[in-house]
Amino acid sequence: MKILAIRLARFGDLVLLLPALSLLKARLPNSHLTLLTDTRWGPLADMCPAIDQVITVDRIKMRDGPAWRAIIGMLRLVRDLRRRKFDATLDCHGFRETNLLTWWSGAPQRWGLKRFDQSFFGFCFNRPPVVENKSLHASEPFIRIVQGIAPFPTTAEPSPS
């Protein structure tokens, strides 16, 4: 199974995502896990043994550069994602842009994070969203997204006798 996880911004949030990606890889060890992130966080993602491949995007350059260059960059990114033929895409960011990237990935299975304070493009997903809950630890939504694609026991399994 080829899986794409998307988390573009914030170093700390990427750090909080890594345990969830490690759980995903442990549950689906034969999967190929690709992370799409900002170029600033690519070196951190490269250090995670659960991640097989890292795709980076320079969000600052896209944001601050000419609009035409950003559009061309996005079109190239979408073409690259579709070419890779992912089986599942996980939007671990929950912004409209990442909602659209999830949809544009062409993956048949699409999960996403629905932030409590942001718009959500529900049409981009075909699995129920994980709704952000500010009363839980910041890493919990990432764990819940992973549970959607690779369920794991929530109660202790009996030990073999």
Side-chain angles (χ1 to χ4, degrees), residues 94-97 99 113-122:
F95 288 163
R96 291 176 298 224
E97 299 84 354
N99 290 176
L113 174 63
K114 182 177 181 183
R115 293 177 170 269
F116 77 98
D117 63 345
Q118 298 287 324
S119 313
F120 181 76
F121 292 156

Side-chain angles (χ1 to χ4, degrees), residues 65-133:
W68 64 268
R69 189 168 296 165
I71 292 168
I72 290 171
M74 286 301 293
L75 291 172
R76 285 182 180 149
L77 175 61
V78 168
R79 185 177 60 224
D80 181 39
L81 295 178
R82 292 186 74 84
R83 179 186 57 78
R84 293 170 188 261
K85 299 188 184 308
F86 291 105
D87 299 302
T89 299
L90 314 175
D91 178 359
C92 301
H93 205 101
F95 288 163
R96 291 176 298 224
E97 299 84 354
T98 56
N99 290 176
L100 289 169
L101 282 172
T102 301
W103 184 45
W104 289 332
S105 75
Q109 300 177 51
R110 299 179 306 276
W111 282 266
L113 174 63
K114 182 177 181 183
R115 293 177 170 269
F116 77 98
D117 63 345
Q118 298 287 324
S119 313
F120 181 76
F121 292 156
F123 69 89
C124 295
F125 304 93
N126 57 7
R127 299 293 192 262
V130 171
V131 179
E132 184 179 41
N133 181 342

Side-chain angles (χ1 to χ4, degrees), residues 140-157:
E140 186 64 26
F142 305 140
I143 299 292
R144 291 182 179 191
I145 290 172
V146 165
Q147 283 177 324
I149 188 169
F152 43 91
T154 54
T155 60
E157 293 181 3

